[in-house]
Amino acid sequence: MLKALHDVDTTILNQVAADYGAPLYVYDSARIQSQFERLTEAFKSVPRLKLNYAAKALSNISILRLMKHLGSGLDTVSIQEVRLGLLAGFAPEDIIYTPNGVSLGELEEAAALGVQINIDNLSVLEQFGSRHPQVPVCIRINPHVMAGGHSKISVGHIDSKFGISIHQIPHLLRIVELTGMKINGIHMHTGSDILDIGVFLYASEILFETAKNFKDLDFIDFGSGFKVPYREGDIQTNVEELGVKLGNRFNKFCEEYGKDLVLTFEPGKFLVSQAGYFVARVNVVKQTTSTVFAQIDSGFNHLIRPMFYGASHEITNISNPNGKERYYSVVGYICETDTFGNNRRINEISEGDLLCFKNAGAYCFTMASNYNSRYRPAEVLWHQGKAHLIREHETFEDITRNQVDPVGLFEGVESAVNTK
Ligand SMILES: *Cc1c(COP(=O)(O)O)cnc(C)c1O
């Protein structure tokens, strides 16, 4: 059933895990390419379309290079991501810097590197515009539209910290006029799930209305929020329908505006989620009075989405793909609750088997940590029928690297604790 959603087969994953060792992440470049092409095709009616891949979803330099090769630009949220993008070979003008709540200094640093900056609050806009009126700036608008139903990933609504409220447009215009700065782009990113195209188009209308206030626009950036299926039956964004509806509306706006603007998107999850697989070995099969636990050689230090967002990642047993299906609770080794999935029907699991987590391309490795002083896993790119190691497993040196151990600090001093 799930074969329809994912294409890398178990033989390949088993081989890659045998060669590079689990736990590890495997990414399928063909899947990334087909997603990129699907989105491009959906908006083919728009003369000037720009996709800026959101680096934070999966920021390995080889992935960034692949995106550049496909013709993508880059959306970044920190100065370090900007630097990664430059290192990967992106031209500064193909990078947009869309941070939230960063210092004026960091924005100035990005602007000095020549990347397009995007400002999302009036305080910094006024300061930046006063000091650098010649640097064109994109502004992030909050249209106050609720997208999706999950409070952690809806960023356009009234209480959200993201963007400049549409109700503050008069103040924004005053700042632009007084500083003489140039606004060359306008942007929104309403949340991570476009479930209802009608809601998205409604938010877009607010953006078009706002855009009319600015005479020097080069682009309108609609952010992202393309939803991909995580399990059978999940609703996904109908990008083809969105492409037709928003594309036509955008072209009409450009006619009224009197200029062929660039329509920009910043997809992260859409491009890489389904291309990723996380493979981990089962350490222990533990029967309790209420369930059977499969405990893997991993935890939320490697894949936090199930615990952080309640995300449901499909789990399969790639060591026994034809075994009898049984119910399991798949958990990790972290000394806290770290449940990957409850009551999952999985082909019978034995200790030592390899489990595979699907949709492990977006916000998985990039959210990994060293909690419990564990190593972060390796990453492998499956490209043109071959596995390429793109990040090594960490080692003990990675855990101790930046720790400073002042010599003699606790030597020759009596214990502070009374042990008598
Ligand atoms: C995270 C982010 C994205 C990507 O969102 P996805 O849901 O992964 O497509 C796009 N734009 C901005 C500004 C972001 O912060």
Side-chain angles (χ1 to χ4, degrees):
M1 268 194 308
L2 288 155
K3 294 248 163 56
L5 298 180
H6 309 276
D7 9 62
V8 165
D9 65 43
T10 54
T11 324
I12 291 171
L13 290 171
N14 271 298
Q15 190 54 49
V16 174
D19 291 347
Y20 296 97
L24 93 162
Y25 280 98
V26 183
Y27 311 118
D28 175 14
S29 69
R31 188 61 198 249
I32 294 173
Q33 178 166 353
S34 66
Q35 289 293 96
F36 190 88
E37 286 166 355
R38 185 180 159 201
L39 201 50
T40 306
E41 177 66 19
F43 283 87
K44 60 172 186 272
S45 72
V46 176
R48 300 175 71 201
L49 175 74
K50 184 82 195 265
L51 301 182
N52 290 326
Y53 167 60
K56 75 177 187 290
L58 177 59
S59 53
N60 188 294
I61 286 183
S62 296
I63 299 294
L64 303 187
R65 290 214 166 100
L66 168 63
M67 294 297 178
K68 179 175 180 287
H69 176 74
L70 294 175
S72 182
L74 201 65
D75 176 66
T76 57
V77 294
S78 69
I79 191 73
Q80 290 79 9
E81 281 189 355
V82 170
R83 290 176 59 187
L84 273 179
L86 293 171
L87 201 59
F90 283 93
E93 57 270 27
D94 286 328
I95 300 178
I96 181 164
Y97 179 49
T98 307
N100 171 253
V102 302
S103 67
L104 176 65
E106 192 170 312
L107 272 160
E108 290 179 324
E109 207 180 326
L113 290 169
V115 312
Q116 170 71 51
I117 62 167
N118 187 344
I119 296 183
D120 92 328
N121 66 86
L122 294 181
S123 169
V124 167
L125 187 76
E126 182 177 325
Q127 294 173 70
F128 189 90
S130 307
R131 292 166 71 146
H132 314 281
Q134 77 291 354
V135 177
V137 167
C138 174
I139 44 170
R140 179 170 185 171
I141 300 297
N142 186 339
H144 302 310
V145 174
M146 186 86 159
H150 196 296
S151 59
K152 274 189 185 153
I153 51 178
S154 301
V155 293
H157 59 91
I158 197 88
D159 293 327
S160 157
K161 67 167 186 164
F162 297 97
I164 299 166
S165 166
I166 39 151
H167 307 303
Q168 292 176 304
I169 296 298
H171 188 185
L172 193 159
L173 292 173
R174 181 186 295 249
I175 289 170
V176 171
E177 197 189 314
L178 292 176
T179 58
M181 68 193 303
K182 182 182 160 192
I183 302 301
N184 68 339
I186 114 168
H187 167 271
M188 71 169 183
H189 174 63
T190 53
S192 263
D193 285 350
I194 308 171
L195 288 167
D196 185 335
I197 287 177
V199 172
F200 193 79
L201 291 172
Y202 177 75
S204 305
E205 286 306 324
I206 296 170
L207 209 55
F208 288 131
E209 208 43 50
T210 310
K212 290 179 188 162
N213 292 297
F214 303 94
K215 302 287 159 255
D216 299 316
L217 293 183
D218 295 321
F219 64 96
I220 302 182
D221 187 334
F222 293 86
S224 182
F226 301 102
K227 188 170 163 56
V228 298
Y230 275 69
R231 49 182 171 179
E232 205 67 26
D234 267 2
I235 308 172
Q236 54 174 310
T237 305
N238 186 337
V239 296
E240 286 73 23
E241 185 189 342
L242 183 66
V244 170
K245 292 187 172 161
L246 183 60
N248 289 341
R249 179 64 186 92
F250 184 81
N251 290 338
K252 200 170 137 248
F253 177 82
C254 289
E255 243 176 73
E256 292 162 14
Y257 191 79
K259 183 176 175 187
D260 258 347
L261 300 175
V262 177
L263 191 169
T264 309
F265 277 115
E266 309 156 346
K269 193 184 273 182
F270 182 83
L271 295 181
V272 297
S273 174
Q274 292 156 294
Y277 303 83
F278 178 59
V279 180
R281 199 173 293 283
V282 175
N283 285 336
V284 181
V285 176
K286 182 176 189 171
Q287 193 112 31
T288 69
T289 49
S290 60
T291 189
V292 182
F293 287 106
Q295 279 198 284
I296 61 172
D297 193 24
S298 181
F300 65 65
N301 51 324
H302 296 156
L303 202 173
I304 201 172
R305 290 179 38 80
M307 305 84 184
F308 195 47
Y309 300 111
S312 177
H313 289 254
E314 202 62 51
I315 307 170
T316 61
N317 181 355
I318 59 171
S319 298
N320 185 22
N322 301 314
K324 190 166 60 176
E325 288 192 345
R326 309 202 42 190
Y327 285 104
Y328 294 95
S329 292
V330 179
V331 297
Y333 57 21
I334 292 289
C335 296
E336 287 192 44
T337 303
D338 57 354
T339 307
F340 290 103
N342 264 325
N343 305 324
R344 297 296 187 89
R345 260 179 96 81
I346 301 173
N347 300 108
E348 187 155 21
I349 298 173
S350 306
E351 291 176 358
D353 281 357
L354 289 172
L355 299 190
C356 175
F357 294 74
K358 308 263 176 90
N359 285 75
Y363 307 105
C364 291
F365 185 91
T366 49
M367 293 181 101
S369 75
N370 291 117
Y371 188 48
N372 280 203
S373 297
R374 294 285 186 179
Y375 307 146
R376 282 179 298 173
E379 295 178 286
V380 165
L381 181 63
W382 181 257
H383 181 60
Q384 296 181 335
K386 268 176 66 183
H388 304 266
L389 184 66
I390 58 172
R391 185 190 301 267
E392 296 184 338
H393 284 282
E394 287 185 339
T395 63
F396 193 64
E397 281 65 51
D398 295 307
I399 305 293
T400 56
R401 173 163 296 130
N402 296 319
Q403 301 198 42
V404 178
D405 184 10
V407 178
L409 200 55
F410 303 112
E411 271 156 36
V413 180
E414 257 178 75
S415 170
V417 180
N418 189 350
T419 51
K420 278 176 205 150

